[in-house]
């Protein structure tokens, strides 16, 4: 029901910033909680951040608190992950995700690489 298309990944130096985008089609994001997950090499996919359907509540995993910010632009039907002060341990494939009637939908993923 919901299709998610990501952009904004790439190579970034430690301490610098990067913004990931996730654009939804099929439904307005105002009806959904949107989340960001990441999967580092050899590890399980894990939660990074989320924003409520109202846009008023955000959640972050401890390792990114104070550095990453999730936000949205309803006019563009897009959710963002602003990544500041990135660290080598942030290197992963990042996925946006949502639930539609209890069914998970995933973006295609985008690589973020922070060399050490």
């Amino acid at each position: 029901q919901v299709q998610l298309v990501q952009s904004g990944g790439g190579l970034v130096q430690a301490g610098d910033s990067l913004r990931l985008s996730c654009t939804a089609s099929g439904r307005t994001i105002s009806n959904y909680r949107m989340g960001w997950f990441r999967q580092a090499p050899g590890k399980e996919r894990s939660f990074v951040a989320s924003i409520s359907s109202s846009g008023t509540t955000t959640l972050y995993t401890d390792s990114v608190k104070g550095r990453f910010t999730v936000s949205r632009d309803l006019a563009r039907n897009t959710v963002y992950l602003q990544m500041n002060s990135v660290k080598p341990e942030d290197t992963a494939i990042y996925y946006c995700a949502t639930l539609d009637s209890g069914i998970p939908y995933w973006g295609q993923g985008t690589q973020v690489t922070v060399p050490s």
Side-chain angles (χ1 to χ4, degrees):
Q1 186 64 47
V2 179
Q3 184 176 356
L4 305 176
V5 179
Q6 299 177 228
S7 63
L11 181 72
V12 59
Q13 298 299 314
D16 288 348
S17 298
L18 193 69
R19 189 178 75 166
L20 307 183
S21 298
C22 175
T23 299
S25 63
R27 293 288 188 274
T28 173
I29 62 171
S30 66
N31 293 330
Y32 300 92
R33 168 172 290 278
M34 304 292 294
W36 289 95
F37 296 77
R38 64 187 179 186
Q39 187 167 17
K43 297 186 178 181
E44 296 292 318
R45 193 172 299 184
S46 61
F47 171 79
V48 177
S50 67
I51 186 167
S52 63
S53 58
S54 68
T56 60
T57 302
T58 56
L59 296 172
Y60 301 92
T61 192
D62 285 345
S63 62
V64 309
K65 287 179 180 177
R67 299 189 298 119
F68 292 7
T69 303
V70 61
S71 62
R72 70 182 191 178
D73 184 340
L74 292 181
R76 293 178 168 82
N77 214 36
T78 296
V79 176
Y80 303 97
L81 184 67
Q82 179 68 43
M83 305 168 61
N84 295 333
S85 302
V86 297
K87 303 175 180 180
E89 51 262 44
D90 295 322
T91 295
I93 302 174
Y94 283 72
Y95 300 87
C96 62
T98 191
L99 292 174
D100 185 2
S101 299
I103 300 173
Y105 291 83
W106 296 92
Q108 82 276 19
T110 186
Q111 178 71 45
V112 173
T113 301
V114 185
S116 58

